[in-house]
Amino acid sequence: MTIKTKYLSSEGIPDFFNRKDCAFVLGNKAQLQSKVHEIQDSLREKGWNFKLSVHSSIGKTSFADYIGGDVICPLFDIYDGIRGYVVANSCDDNLPLVVEEVVKTASDNQREYLEDVVLAAAFNSPFEFNNSVDTIFGEHRSQDDEADTTSGILPFDVSRLSILPLGAAAFGADCDFNLDLDTADGLDDISFAGSIDLSESSLESVRYFKNSNISNKNKREFLKHIPEKVSERYIKKNPNCRKDLEALIASVSHEDLQQLVMELITRQKGATQIFDFSNLSAASEYELCVKKWDNTIKEFDHKFHYCIFLKDGKGKEYPVKFQHHPAYCLYMMYIIDRATRGNDASYLSIRENKEQYIRLYQTVFGIPYNEAEKKYLTFAYRLTKEGEVSRKGRYDDYLKDIDNTITSIVGRADSIPLKLRDGGHLELLPDRIKIDENLRMFNFR
């Protein structure tokens, strides 16, 4: 049985669902109580430390119908801010499987987010990164070691870096819903506590630290290779190192990633500069170009009035195509916003940018307003088989389409500043984005 999970941004979701390591089942509390006990036990047995709560919603449109699912789990950034939610819909006999899939998807999403954060910290401040590794796993380096420049891991001045805006894209359905959430008895209805070979071939066979008896000393030495392999100098000398780096970061346990990020936050006393994705080498190496179509452009057909190309450091251009045209237009929107607003670019609300998005869709694909509006509405909602409105729409599909396409072109590590990351804005440097002047008339917010 295939269980489809989806991503929702935080806009329009009540704050009382913002509990760390918690998943929620929406429905009748009395009927679900016994099932929840069993599901909670199953989650614990499989190593997921998630609390499970049941919550009811009543009204013209239930909360489950509003979000398009009856199981929901929040996603958090490193400062405990909401990045979004994972949602799925169950039927009478598959609730345990759906809860497990939602928790697994949320855990995987959080894992990928932590990997991105750690790679950014290793690049931006290798000195602080390695000191944090030493603090966690012992044998903190001496002052002489800190000044050593033979390893290619140099102290990095973080005072020059800009602050990273964390968070998911603001998105809301362009519909009015009559929601009456039953919050009288809060959310406590049902709640339960609950020396290493670094060759590529060797890395591919390494299991997560949590699945082995690897010593702290070896963990330390393993982790301290990350700043070297993510550095500009190493990447330039080893252009095919992406798989090596991806295998390296994938071999670190989720718990060790969390511990490392928390140590970096504590060491930096809340500063976000060390986690700035726009300082990764890929943010300045690649270039996004949006060209007006003519018959010399063979990679796109005449349906595309404007064509997106990604150029690597060697000048090779890759056409950027997505499976869905609305996803293409969504990415174009973020490209234009980053090019025109520079460092002031941010996540963009589809609801607030309705007319701008429709106009952009008309411009890119040359179709009438009413057809472009239909494409826009696919973001906002879908109709169920019974004709009822579901909030979800296809925003999640389009976001995955964008991220998967970009990753397929440049690889996991280099995709970080080029993809939207749960709806976040592009981190590619503004001066590395070239757009046709006709596109500068758009003003997104």
Side-chain angles (χ1 to χ4, degrees):
M1 177 186 295
T2 301
I3 298 170
K4 181 174 175 58
T5 60
K6 56 199 175 188
Y7 167 85
L8 292 180
S9 69
S10 58
E11 187 172 343
I13 308 295
D15 290 343
F16 54 74
F17 286 101
N18 298 353
R19 282 186 171 187
K20 292 197 72 174
D21 299 323
C22 192
F24 301 91
V25 178
L26 306 173
N28 186 294
K29 302 171 190 177
Q31 293 177 359
L32 289 171
Q33 184 170 358
S34 60
K35 280 189 178 181
V36 165
H37 278 282
E38 295 174 6
I39 297 170
Q40 183 75 68
D41 290 341
S42 177
L43 290 176
R44 284 174 176 168
E45 289 174 3
K46 294 178 180 178
W48 281 307
N49 239 349
F50 277 73
K51 298 178 182 179
L52 190 57
S53 295
V54 178
H55 194 74
S56 296
S57 63
I58 58 176
K60 183 179 178 181
T61 300
S62 74
F63 188 64
D65 289 336
Y66 175 62
I67 64 174
D70 60 355
V71 181
I72 180 171
C73 185
L75 302 169
F76 292 86
D77 63 31
I78 56 177
Y79 298 104
D80 294 337
I82 287 290
R83 292 192 294 120
Y85 301 84
V86 175
V87 178
N89 201 34
S90 73
C91 55
D92 291 339
D93 58 351
N94 73 343
L95 180 60
L97 294 177
V98 172
V99 171
E100 183 175 320
E101 188 64 25
V102 166
V103 168
K104 179 182 182 300
T105 302
S107 297
D108 290 346
N109 181 290
Q110 193 66 18
R111 163 82 196 192
E112 183 173 340
Y113 170 73
L114 287 176
E115 287 182 1
D116 288 353
V117 167
V118 166
L119 287 174
F123 178 86
N124 289 331
S125 189
F127 169 71
E128 292 293 348
F129 182 92
N130 281 333
N131 271 352
S132 294
V133 171
D134 284 331
T135 298
I136 295 172
F137 299 111
E139 295 189 18
H140 192 80
R141 290 186 300 172
S142 67
Q143 280 299 120
D144 290 339
D145 290 332
E146 291 170 3
D148 180 19
T149 60
T150 59
S151 66
I153 303 174
L154 303 176
F156 194 93
D157 178 12
V158 299
S159 63
R160 299 181 288 106
L161 309 183
S162 60
I163 291 180
L164 166 68
L166 298 170
F171 171 73
D174 197 42
C175 310
D176 291 325
F177 291 97
N178 177 18
L179 294 177
D180 184 8
L181 300 179
D182 179 12
T183 60
D185 47 0
L187 287 176
D188 293 323
D189 313 317
I190 303 174
S191 185
F192 304 90
S195 63
I196 301 175
D197 178 11
L198 285 172
S199 64
E200 185 173 324
S201 60
S202 175
L203 281 168
E204 290 176 351
S205 66
V206 175
R207 302 181 67 83
Y208 290 162
F209 289 161
K210 65 181 178 182
N211 295 328
S212 67
N213 294 319
I214 188 170
S215 68
N216 276 355
K217 178 181 178 181
N218 282 341
K219 283 186 181 183
R220 183 175 66 253
E221 294 307 316
F222 203 81
L223 284 164
K224 289 173 70 172
H225 278 273
I226 294 177
E228 173 191 357
K229 290 183 179 294
V230 81
S231 67
E232 285 189 57
R233 181 166 62 180
Y234 183 87
I235 292 172
K236 286 179 180 178
K237 288 184 178 180
N238 303 274
N240 298 318
C241 69
R242 290 194 185 109
K243 288 184 179 179
D244 192 28
L245 177 59
E246 289 169 13
L248 179 58
I249 191 67
S251 299
V252 184
S253 75
H254 187 84
E255 291 78 8
D256 286 332
L257 282 177
Q258 288 179 311
Q259 191 176 4
L260 181 55
V261 170
M262 289 308 300
E263 175 63 28
L264 286 164
I265 292 173
T266 302
R267 186 176 292 276
Q268 291 292 305
K269 295 182 180 179
T272 58
Q273 295 96 327
I274 194 173
F275 305 115
D276 193 337
F277 297 146
S278 68
N279 286 284
L280 292 172
S281 57
S284 57
E285 175 187 354
Y286 291 92
E287 185 175 287
L288 276 169
C289 308
V290 182
K291 306 175 184 180
K292 193 169 184 178
W293 185 87
D294 59 43
N295 56 17
T296 66
I297 298 178
K298 305 301 181 183
E299 296 87 350
F300 292 83
D301 60 37
H302 66 279
K303 294 179 182 178
F304 292 82
H305 292 198
Y306 289 89
C307 311
I308 302 174
F309 288 89
L310 181 64
K311 184 187 295 184
D312 65 19
K314 297 181 179 179
K316 183 177 180 180
E317 288 189 339
Y318 302 86
V320 180
K321 296 182 178 180
F322 305 108
Q323 292 183 4
H324 307 95
H325 282 184
Y328 186 88
C329 199
L330 176 65
Y331 196 65
M332 181 84 76
M333 184 169 75
Y334 276 93
I335 290 175
I336 295 170
D337 188 58
R338 182 67 164 163
T340 56
R341 290 205 293 158
N343 291 330
D344 292 328
S346 62
Y347 55 80
L348 300 172
S349 167
I350 293 296
R351 181 178 60 187
E352 293 180 6
N353 287 287
K354 175 182 178 180
E355 292 302 320
Q356 289 287 300
Y357 180 88
I358 293 173
R359 283 181 56 223
L360 179 60
Y361 204 101
Q362 287 184 274
T363 301
V364 172
F365 294 108
I367 62 176
Y369 181 94
N370 63 330
E371 291 185 28
E373 185 179 30
K374 288 179 182 178
K375 297 296 184 181
Y376 165 81
L377 291 176
T378 64
F379 280 94
Y381 60 81
R382 275 175 163 176
L383 296 179
T384 65
K385 292 179 181 179
E386 293 75 26
E388 297 292 333
V389 169
S390 173
R391 174 188 189 270
K392 187 261 177 182
R394 301 201 67 183
Y395 177 76
D396 176 69
D397 296 331
Y398 302 149
L399 200 61
K400 288 179 180 177
D401 187 7
I402 290 170
D403 288 359
N404 291 340
T405 299
I406 297 300
T407 301
S408 70
I409 296 174
V410 302
R412 168 67 198 292
D414 282 1
S415 73
I416 295 173
L418 294 165
K419 61 186 182 180
L420 298 186
R421 296 188 344 273
D422 296 334
H425 72 276
L426 292 174
E427 305 285 352
L428 186 70
L429 296 182
D431 63 4
R432 303 297 294 171
I433 299 177
K434 313 297 180 185
I435 63 174
D436 186 276
E437 289 303 310
N438 292 325
L439 299 175
R440 292 187 177 275
M441 64 180 177
F442 291 97
N443 182 25
F444 303 107
R445 54 181 180 173

